[in-house]
Amino acid sequence: MKRLYMIGGPMGVGKTAACRQLQQLLDRSVFLDGDWCWDAHPFQVTEETREMVLENIAFLL
């Protein structure tokens, strides 16, 4: 059975650090960091870019 853990919270609380620790503790695990989906220059959130990011994340999952 596959499990999906979603970790959320404000910036700087240790989400990435906690996920990296979980990745080491859980056998056959994958860490998908959604932050890279928003890494664009220039950074502009529009309805179009928001939809693109959500589609890309859903595709990865």
Side-chain angles (χ1 to χ4, degrees):
M1 174 187 198
K2 295 181 182 180
R3 293 187 180 172
L4 173 64
Y5 296 96
M6 297 181 79
I7 309 295
M11 292 187 314
V13 297
K15 297 179 301 292
T16 299
C19 289
R20 291 287 181 203
Q21 286 290 343
L22 284 171
Q23 186 180 24
Q24 296 301 312
L25 294 172
L26 300 172
D27 287 338
R28 299 177 57 169
S29 62
V30 174
F31 172 45
L32 297 175
D33 185 355
D35 285 345
W36 68 268
C37 294
W38 293 97
D39 188 11
H41 181 75
F43 181 77
Q44 294 178 334
V45 178
T46 64
E47 188 57 36
E48 181 182 16
T49 57
R50 179 185 171 279
E51 187 166 326
M52 178 189 69
V53 167
L54 293 176
E55 286 177 9
N56 289 340
I57 292 171
F59 178 77
L60 287 173
L61 294 175

